[in-house]
Amino acid sequence: MKTTDRPEPVPPRRRRRPARSAAPPEIRLMGDATVGGVAIGPAMLVLESPTPDIDPTARADDPDHERARLAEAIERSVRQIERLRDRLAILPEDGQIEIGSLLEVYRRMLGPSRLQRGIHDRITRGGRTAELAVREETESLAQALLRDAAGAGGEDTATAQRRAGEFREIGQRLLRNLGRAPFRSFSAVPAGTVLVAEQLRPADAALIDPSRIVAVATEEGGSTGHTAIMLRALGIPTVLAAHRLTASARDGATMVVDGTTGQVVIDPTEDTLAVARRGVAEHARERQALGRLRRLPARLSSGEKLQLQANLELPAELPLIAQSGASGIGLLRTEFLFMNAMTMPDEDRQAAIYAEIIGTMAGDSTTIRVVDWGGEKHSDALERAGLNQEGDTINPALGMRGLRLLLRYPTVLETQFAAILKASVAGPVRVMLPMVTTVLELREARDLYHRVARRLRRKGVPLGDTLPPLGIMVETPAAAIMGDALAQEAEFLAIGTNDLTMYTLAVDRASADVASLYHPLHPAVLRLIQAATEAALRQYRPISLCGEIAGDPRVVPLLVGLGLRSFSMTASAVPRVKRAVRALSFEDCRRLAHRVMEASDVVEVTRLIDDFAAGA
Ligand code: PEP
Ligand code: MG
């Protein structure tokens, strides 16, 4: 690999202040608690080196020259990304996966992508300089993503923000390489340093050596962005968005960063330090204890066995699942196959992806949910495949979504069924339908499933004697209320409390305006969970819960008391939930559920759950 023309990394600019004689007063700031844990260390203040100014009115006389400059900047950016990739080996396994997949995204953007086409177009047709074309195109793609996500689900907004950040990040890299501006380097950081920055870009996180940097605190950024995800994977206590941080901190000042509470202390007093030291020790003990739980069974102290599985959004998360001690995948969201894609992966491509995931689970079961595309979510791939999501629906959450969309345009569903069936020889698998509201929908999908299986058999595709079970998500009040009828025909049920809460309380799960009204523990939601669970148990149908509350150790005792035995959650929550359930007896859970189900408001429910968790 040629590296000679790379701008040399410069040490981060540091802010110096004159030494003071008296001990400076302690300063406490609050930010977003992003990665749990406490750390103490000297600050290293890293200020943003400015990106070159761009004149928005500048026009290029020679487009060929601009295109050549762009090609050179792209080549240089690719080399830098390759070098970052070479450095991944020093990171912990989780970090390697997270950062590796992000670098892969950058690498693809720098290839023959829509981004590159757009930049070229602006130079050729719009007469822009390479800098202006890069700035305009990356910003326009970022804005388009954010616009598409506006008003959409919370996860969609967070995903759009992340992807918009990726475009901006790659734009910054190209601009720096066009202007040959230097990059930051954290390689000379002494061990034990607390990194204090205005903002940390995801690529900066790739430069962090977790054996040297004990904590990160920044003034900007949000806890759902890529940087946050990566710092989480690296396990470095982190507080983001701490207002006035860089104005208050100085190089070398002692810092306490508490990523669990979101507090940052500059120049802590002896008392504060003593408390922080206890926090550091506790965090280390907690990590060790959670690590030891991995191989232990998820069994109540009274003997009942629970199933704790993981939700999977991206194949890149697979190694985290193995580390978490989850016993299988309880919800594989297949939306990732259709995101960022212009064409839908065909049957064989999908089958290969599913088979790889199923095979990795080494005998533990994988529940694959067919795509749950929402009315407001845009997918080029699905539109091109003929799925008209009818975006003019006034209320998209009540429009063409999930199973009803798939049944209206069944080719996507047929392809997915066929791919899953083909992959099912790789290990135990179940097929799940999203957003079911009627028994008729279930029957229609089931008929299609059997038709696809017959067609494959006729073609000589090897399928087992019995097909993988076909089950449903219970995420609408209709499905919960009709649980007994649905349980007669669905081979398993999985309660999705994220949507069930939204549809029961008439509160958009993604709207900040009504976020304070979104309560998965509202008695109305709990009654529907109870009804669906009892309906399934009466018919001996397996039932699980895979909404976000499955990963909350405070809530799981109540769910166990309501009769649930199977939960699927984000992989990182498995050890904590396992620890909580191993300390519980079924009788205690049952008693808690009795008390909770008599409560008529969410405040009372929360109090009962908190008291139970506190052992009161
Ligand atoms: C749910 O609605 O609870 C669920 C698990 O599905 P999703 O979050 O993917 O909509
Ligand atoms: Mg859902």
Side-chain angles (χ1 to χ4, degrees), residues 31-300:
D32 283 354
T34 302
V35 185
V38 184
I40 308 168
M44 188 180 86
L45 206 64
V46 180
L47 301 177
E48 194 65 41
S49 25
T51 37
D53 283 340
I54 298 167
D55 177 0
T57 59
R59 290 293 174 270
D61 307 329
D62 183 356
D64 284 346
H65 175 64
E66 295 306 306
R67 275 197 300 271
R69 288 180 60 233
L70 176 70
E72 206 184 305
I74 289 177
E75 207 184 305
R76 216 172 293 134
S77 304
V78 169
R79 282 201 301 272
Q80 288 158 358
I81 287 177
E82 300 290 353
R83 269 195 302 273
L84 287 175
R85 205 159 29 198
D86 292 345
R87 293 194 64 237
L88 289 182
I90 64 161
L91 303 181
E93 205 177 340
D94 300 10
Q96 290 185 28
I97 296 155
E98 279 297 346
I99 296 172
S101 47
L102 178 70
L103 294 180
E104 187 49 39
V105 171
Y106 290 162
R107 183 71 188 74
R108 276 207 305 268
M109 284 180 174
L110 291 169
S113 61
R114 181 163 148 199
L115 170 68
Q116 229 198 82
R117 282 195 301 279
I119 300 174
H120 271 272
D121 223 44
R122 284 176 195 267
I123 295 175
T124 311
R125 293 189 218 192
R128 306 290 200 261
T129 59
E131 280 87 351
L132 189 55
V134 166
R135 164 73 44 90
E136 284 183 356
E137 184 61 21
T138 48
E139 202 40 45
S140 127
L141 289 171
Q143 290 295 341
L145 279 169
L146 296 173
R147 252 196 327 273
D148 280 359
E155 289 144 307
D156 305 327
T157 310
T159 307
Q161 277 167 352
R162 265 208 305 277
R163 290 191 47 221
E166 287 162 5
F167 280 120
R168 289 178 172 141
E169 168 68 20
I170 214 67
Q172 292 287 339
R173 183 167 289 276
L174 286 172
L175 288 177
R176 281 173 192 280
N177 279 324
L178 279 165
R180 306 227 168 196
F183 284 84
R184 330 200 232 206
S185 158
F186 301 131
S187 51
V189 174
T193 296
V194 171
L195 193 63
V196 176
E198 284 164 330
Q199 190 184 18
L200 210 58
R201 290 187 300 268
D204 297 328
L207 295 170
I208 286 180
D209 177 350
S211 68
R212 297 182 162 272
I213 291 180
V214 291
V216 170
T218 72
E219 191 153 324
E220 289 170 28
S223 48
T224 54
H226 261 311
T227 302
I229 290 172
M230 286 194 273
L231 290 166
R232 217 167 274 135
L234 296 175
I236 299 176
T238 300
V239 174
L240 299 183
H243 187 53
R244 295 198 48 74
L245 174 69
T246 53
S248 314
R250 58 178 204 292
D251 251 352
T254 302
M255 306 267 304
V256 174
V257 176
D258 187 335
T260 310
T261 62
Q263 188 169 71
V264 176
V265 187
I266 304 161
D267 296 318
T269 62
E270 267 314 312
D271 286 352
T272 305
L273 272 177
V275 174
R277 284 191 195 105
R278 283 201 292 278
V280 173
E282 202 179 300
H283 180 56
R285 273 198 302 277
E286 160 119 345
R287 276 176 86 111
Q288 257 186 0
L290 287 175
R292 280 197 296 271
L293 279 168
R294 179 149 64 117
R295 292 184 205 291
L296 297 179
R299 204 184 278 287
L300 301 184

Side-chain angles (χ1 to χ4, degrees), residues 355 358 420-429 461-464 468:
I358 297 165
I420 299 170
L421 286 167
K422 278 184 174 172
S424 64
V425 286
V429 63
V461 176
L463 303 180

